[in-house]
Amino acid sequence: MDNLSEPLLAEIIKRIAKTSDRNSLSLVSKQLYTIDAEQRDAIHVGRGLHPATEALASLCSRFPNLWKVVIDYSGWISIHGKQLDNQGLLVLSSHCSSLTDLTLNFCSYIDDSGIGYLAYCKKLRSFRLNFAPAISSRGLLSVAVGCKSLCTFHLVDCMKVGSVEWLEYLGRAGSLEELVVKDCKGISQYDLLKFGRGFMKLQRFEYEINGNYWSSAARDPAYVAHYPYRYDICCENMKELRLAHIVTKPEIGLRFLLGKCRALEKLWLEYVIGLTDNDVIALFQNCGNLRSLSLRLIPLLCHAIYFRTALTDDSLKALALYCPMLQVLELTFTFCSEDYPSEVGFSQEGIVNLVQSCPIRVLMLNGASNFDDEGMKGLSSSRSLETLELVDCMFIGDLGMRSIARTPNLRNLTLRKCVCVTDNGVSELVHAQNLESLTIIGCHRISLKAVQGAARSVYYSAESEKHESLKGMKMTSLSNCDWIQLAATLFQLMKPLAMRIRAF
């Protein structure tokens, strides 16, 4: 390698993806050490920094062209030593003049003073903050004011953040293209409306509250009972939208986005309480470019008589009619009783017709208690279906496996907690000519021996997954008194999930 030119060596080093491999190569010679230092533009550090500030200063001096830095203290405990603190961010802001992308994960020692130093990072375009218990709205405002080039902003699990002056400032600046707010209890969906005209440029938006989100006391300050109103906010550039675990009744809140987004390509609506067929039909009518859709639903009390997920086949028909480019579809149903299949608002026929009408390549059915082997027969006629994931589908059995094995282009099949599928059903999959991968998790009637050779690549686990993992829900632990209070709140305010307390 001594005869290779420096530009060629630099190109070789660029193509080495693993950090450990680059570190090893840099020790081969002084020339490679120097070239690697010049070419290294990203680092991911955390518990290995000792002492933290001095070690970071050394790395910044060695790698003068860093533009992406991830500081990650996930899994940290006190015996790992002191975390990077405010002084560390001062070092970072003064040494890394090219810094454009910064992620801080589980940095408990950094507070408002520390992230205030980021105002000196004039090129910063992407800032992700995950679990920063000492950082408040004041610190975020200093970043918003000082970093004029910000286009990506993620705020996750920051419990001290309450007021939203920083959000209003970013909205007025109108530079953000991606905004993610998750698990920040001090920020309600109505606070996010203060982002205002910032929605105009936004291409990706995500808002999620986990835990006991239905008990939030937040109310839309603009809401007036019996008086119709609309938000004068434009978001026609939005391509990706995810709303998870929010309540939209009786106020409008972030629900207004569904009527404003015309460029959507990817949409996630996960346990959004208050949605109706009319809401999503109006959305689908305006979203001809929609390619990916995830719907996660729970049964609610309908007409004070029975329980059913809010959306019905009318939504599926509109989806098939107005979204001809749909390729990825997830339908998840949670808390739907296997004894009452009608609690799933979508019929088996409606789901099959949608798959046959759109070029759906990837399909996930989760908790579809009304879907059985006859439905699998319908899916098998799809020429577009390449990836199928079945989760907690109680009535799909061996005959369903025989049918799905005939799907002409099926390449990937995943079964999770499908308790009616046995070794006999798996044996049918050998007839699937194009099956490349098979994943079996928590299906106790399927043995490891049976899956061997069923596909080119096989993953098998007998371990059962937790309900929250299967359904994408994160519930806060409650005491018995809390459960009683919760049941009363649910029944009085909106009555979701009350299927578990039918006796009332």
Side-chain angles (χ1 to χ4, degrees):
M1 297 182 68
D2 294 337
N3 297 325
L4 299 179
S5 64
E6 286 196 5
L8 183 55
L9 286 174
E11 187 62 32
I12 292 173
I13 291 175
K14 279 183 184 178
R15 294 172 182 267
I16 299 175
K18 291 183 64 175
T19 301
S20 58
D21 291 341
R22 291 188 67 163
N23 290 340
S24 299
L25 183 63
S26 68
L27 299 177
V28 172
S29 69
K30 288 184 178 180
Q31 183 186 29
L32 289 173
Y33 184 90
T34 302
I35 294 174
D36 175 53
E38 293 174 352
Q39 295 297 320
R40 191 79 66 102
D41 55 15
I43 58 172
H44 187 137
V45 297
R47 287 177 288 171
L49 287 177
H50 295 297
T53 301
E54 291 79 356
L56 181 62
S58 176
L59 287 172
C60 291
S61 297
R62 179 184 171 189
F63 305 126
N65 297 315
L66 289 175
W67 63 266
K68 182 177 182 179
V69 175
V70 177
I71 300 174
D72 185 359
Y73 280 98
S74 56
W76 175 89
I77 54 178
S78 58
I79 62 172
H80 293 144
K82 187 178 178 182
Q83 285 191 13
L84 195 75
D85 57 15
N86 295 338
Q87 195 65 23
L89 287 194
L90 175 59
V91 168
L92 190 66
S93 62
S94 58
H95 284 67
C96 297
S97 58
S98 300
L99 186 66
T100 60
D101 191 320
L102 175 63
T103 299
L104 302 179
N105 288 335
F106 297 90
C107 296
S108 303
Y109 285 34
I110 295 174
D111 59 23
D112 292 339
S113 299
I115 66 167
Y117 294 127
L118 298 180
Y120 298 113
C121 301
K122 301 303 181 183
K123 296 182 180 179
L124 191 65
R125 293 176 55 81
S126 177
F127 182 47
R128 296 174 177 84
L129 197 59
N130 180 20
F131 187 74
I135 293 176
S136 71
S137 301
R138 184 170 65 89
L140 298 183
L141 181 60
S142 64
V143 174
V145 173
C147 303
K148 305 292 187 183
S149 300
L150 271 181
C151 62
T152 298
F153 196 96
H154 289 207
L155 194 65
V156 180
D157 204 8
C158 294
M159 296 304 177
K160 198 175 179 180
V161 177
S163 58
V164 289
E165 293 87 354
W166 58 276
L167 188 63
E168 295 180 65
Y169 187 93
L170 289 172
R172 291 193 298 270
S175 63
L176 283 192
E177 297 177 2
E178 182 175 319
L179 175 62
V180 174
V181 179
K182 297 172 61 177
D183 289 341
C184 298
K185 293 184 178 179
I187 304 175
S188 74
Q189 58 172 312
Y190 309 115
D191 290 326
L192 284 161
L193 298 175
K194 297 176 183 177
F195 189 56
R197 67 184 187 188
F199 280 105
M200 185 179 300
K201 190 175 180 180
L202 213 58
Q203 295 185 26
R204 181 190 173 205
F205 176 63
E206 182 175 343
Y207 178 71
E208 175 181 354
I209 290 294
N210 278 300
N212 308 324
Y213 63 94
W214 54 79
S215 61
S216 171
R219 292 290 181 266
D220 187 347
Y223 175 75
V224 179
H226 310 299
Y227 180 78
Y229 69 103
R230 301 176 67 182
Y231 298 105
D232 187 21
I233 296 174
C234 175
C235 51
E236 293 192 352
N237 290 313
M238 188 92 69
K239 293 183 178 180
E240 297 185 20
L241 172 63
R242 180 172 180 263
L243 301 178
H245 310 156
I246 65 173
V247 179
T248 63
K249 271 189 173 183
E251 301 87 356
I252 295 178
L254 289 177
R255 185 178 183 172
F256 87 93
L257 290 171
L258 301 181
K260 298 279 189 175
C261 301
R262 299 179 181 273
L264 275 185
E265 296 178 3
K266 297 181 179 181
L267 173 65
W268 297 262
L269 296 174
E270 303 175 7
Y271 309 115
V272 179
I273 295 175
L275 284 182
T276 66
D277 278 328
N278 290 337
D279 292 324
V280 296
I281 289 173
L283 169 69
F284 296 152
Q285 287 175 337
N286 294 322
C287 294
N289 291 324
L290 192 66
R291 290 171 168 80
S292 177
L293 174 65
S294 173
L295 295 175
R296 297 183 179 179
L297 305 166
I298 57 176
L300 308 176
L301 187 63
C302 297
H303 309 297
I305 301 174
Y306 57 91
F307 292 85
R308 193 200 69 207
T309 56
L311 305 184
T312 69
D313 281 357
D314 290 341
S315 293
L316 296 184
K317 292 175 183 177
L319 183 60
L321 180 62
Y322 298 112
C323 303
M325 302 174 70
L326 187 68
Q327 298 180 17
V328 179
L329 177 64
E330 175 195 346
L331 299 176
T332 291
F333 309 99
T334 300
F335 299 136
C336 291
S337 172
E338 60 187 84
D339 298 324
Y340 298 91
S342 60
E343 290 184 345
V344 176
F346 300 144
S347 70
Q348 176 170 272
E349 181 182 6
I351 296 172
V352 170
N353 287 341
L354 175 61
V355 174
Q356 293 175 342
S357 301
C358 293
I360 295 176
R361 297 184 301 103
V362 179
L363 173 65
M364 176 181 181
L365 294 179
N366 187 334
S369 56
N370 62 345
F371 209 88
D372 57 22
D373 292 337
E374 190 65 27
M376 295 293 283
K377 184 178 179 180
L379 294 182
S380 67
S381 64
S382 171
R383 303 196 67 84
S384 301
L385 191 61
E386 298 176 2
T387 298
L388 176 63
E389 183 169 357
L390 302 173
V391 184
D392 191 26
C393 292
M394 309 292 291
F395 298 108
I396 294 175
D398 294 342
L399 290 178
M401 293 300 100
R402 176 183 296 178
S403 297
I404 209 63
R406 300 191 183 99
T407 309
N409 293 305
L410 187 66
R411 289 175 169 79
N412 309 293
L413 177 62
T414 296
L415 303 177
R416 298 162 58 195
K417 197 185 174 184
C418 291
V419 297
C420 286
V421 181
T422 71
D423 288 353
N424 292 332
V426 173
S427 68
E428 298 288 345
L429 298 177
V430 298
H431 303 295
Q433 297 180 353
N434 297 313
L435 195 62
E436 296 177 357
S437 71
L438 174 64
T439 299
I440 306 292
I441 301 175
C443 302
H444 65 264
R445 299 181 69 184
I446 299 176
S447 66
L448 175 59
K449 182 179 180 180
V451 304
Q452 302 299 326
R456 295 182 181 91
S457 173
V458 171
Y459 175 82
Y460 176 88
S461 174
E463 295 293 325
S464 297
E465 297 174 85
K466 293 182 178 179
H467 185 270
E468 60 186 34
S469 174
L470 282 171
K471 304 296 183 179
M473 301 186 83
K474 189 167 78 174
M475 308 278 285
T476 302
S477 298
L478 300 176
S479 66
N480 290 337
C481 291
D482 289 334
W483 277 114
I484 295 173
Q485 197 170 28
L486 169 60
T489 301
L490 293 175
F491 205 78
Q492 291 172 7
L493 295 180
M494 56 198 176
K495 303 179 181 178
L497 311 181
M499 58 171 291
R500 297 304 180 195
I501 49 173
R502 286 179 186 276
F504 283 65

